[in-house]
Amino acid sequence: MPADIEGYREYVGARLEPLRRTAYLLCGDWHTADDLVSTALVKLLRHWRRVSRMDSPDAYVRRTLLRVWLDERRRPWRREAAWAEVPDGAVRSATDGAADRLTVLALLAELPPRRRAVLVLRYFCDLSVEETARELGCTAGTVKSQSARAIEALRSRLVGVPARAEEARTDG
């Protein structure tokens, strides 16, 4: 058990919701996201003495979360989708861009894991190319090419999406 359990509790309390959102963006399911965060936080607790002295404990936790997610994706019994398709009625009744968010999340879920991870780390976690490369254990060039390919794939898939998502894409 780490000596600074109170420090661990404060750290987790301050970062739990952003970690859940990051996990959700990676996996696309809130229940799985909670499982991923729980696993990552257990690993963090095991190494809290060392991690708490690091310059950037957030980077350690993000990398741990990413590795936990990739490990889950490699397990054959997890390859089934964890949710059924959202009925059209629910999307039509959504307001304030909820339908657009669902569309983007569905498109994000279709991307290969590495491309999805690059987009989440770069644009949701707001990491630089170099930081993302460090998190993924690859080169900056790989991050750039994976980003470009992922964005192009999302754009090409948005062509067949209903008009509302098209309008949002051309307005911004």
Side-chain angles (χ1 to χ4, degrees), residues 11 45 65 73 75 94 104 115 117 122 135 145 153 166:
Y11 178 85
L45 180 60
L65 184 63
R73 299 254 326 156
R75 295 195 171 119
V104 170
R115 289 183 186 170
R122 285 281 292 128
E135 294 282 327
S145 67
E166 275 299 312

Side-chain angles (χ1 to χ4, degrees), residues 76-90:
W77 60 86
R78 291 287 206 180
R79 291 200 183 126
E80 255 183 83
W83 63 91
E85 287 192 34
V86 177
D88 289 339

Side-chain angles (χ1 to χ4, degrees), residues 19-35:
L19 283 172
R20 284 186 75 232
R21 284 191 303 270
T22 301
Y24 176 76
L25 288 172
L26 288 169
C27 69
D29 176 63
W30 283 111
H31 298 291
T32 305
D34 287 339
D35 291 346

